[in-house]
Amino acid sequence: MINEEKVALMTRLAFYEKEEGKRARKITEYFRGDFVVIQILKSVISATIIFGIAFGIYVFMDFEEFMTGLYKMDLISFARNILTYYAIFLACYVAFTFVYAMAQYFLAKRSLRRYYQELKKLNAFYKEH
């Protein structure tokens, strides 16, 4: 005789393993701190690339004016301003990444906890019959 509740539970577990479970396991393979550091390192690299592209676009938008003004400007203060903008951009990007990675890790942990509770229910069904 087929137990409909058991079939529904098995279906939910199979769907979780196929979709969300793979991602959650991949995240929780790491310790929380390690996962967050890896995500922050990725974001530092991508933020540097993004800032470089944005700066390149800014320079090439009016390249002729930039080149004529280059000889007149104080290069040290210009570089200091660019590095200040980069530091502010990087700090904001890293702060967002930190919050996002922590939330991602805790949501993955919570979903795995629910999955293991469902597995315990399934195990209880098997022990009953």
Side-chain angles (χ1 to χ4, degrees):
M1 186 151 115
I2 296 176
N3 186 341
E4 290 181 20
E5 188 178 344
K6 182 175 139 183
V7 171
L9 181 61
M10 291 174 70
T11 305
R12 277 196 315 264
L13 289 172
F15 183 73
Y16 177 83
E17 287 176 6
K18 185 177 178 185
E19 300 293 325
E20 189 180 341
K22 288 181 184 178
R23 187 176 46 82
R25 277 199 204 103
K26 193 182 289 187
I27 289 171
T28 57
E29 282 177 351
Y30 299 102
F31 291 112
R32 181 182 58 201
D34 294 342
F35 177 73
V36 171
V37 167
I38 289 169
Q39 298 306 312
I40 287 175
L41 286 175
K42 287 180 188 178
S43 73
V44 166
I45 292 168
S46 64
T48 302
I49 292 169
I50 290 168
F51 189 82
I53 290 171
F55 180 69
I57 290 171
Y58 169 75
V59 167
F60 286 122
M61 268 180 28
D62 199 2
F63 190 68
E64 185 178 340
E65 184 179 324
F66 177 77
M67 289 305 288
T68 57
L70 187 65
Y71 297 111
K72 298 174 189 174
M73 74 172 72
D74 181 19
L75 292 178
I76 294 175
S77 68
F78 178 72
R80 189 176 300 136
N81 287 340
I82 296 300
L83 289 176
T84 302
Y85 292 139
Y86 172 70
I88 291 169
F89 175 72
L90 188 63
C92 293
Y93 205 83
V94 166
F96 176 77
T97 300
F98 176 79
V99 171
Y100 182 75
M102 290 292 279
Q104 204 175 17
Y105 188 84
F106 284 121
L107 290 174
K109 277 286 203 189
R110 185 181 343 155
S111 80
L112 277 177
R113 241 182 276 128
R114 273 192 251 125
Y115 173 70
Y116 291 135
Q117 287 172 351
E118 297 286 320
L119 279 178
K120 287 179 184 178
K121 284 182 189 176
L122 184 62
N123 193 25
F125 273 120
Y126 282 115
K127 285 184 180 179
E128 284 178 10
H129 295 39

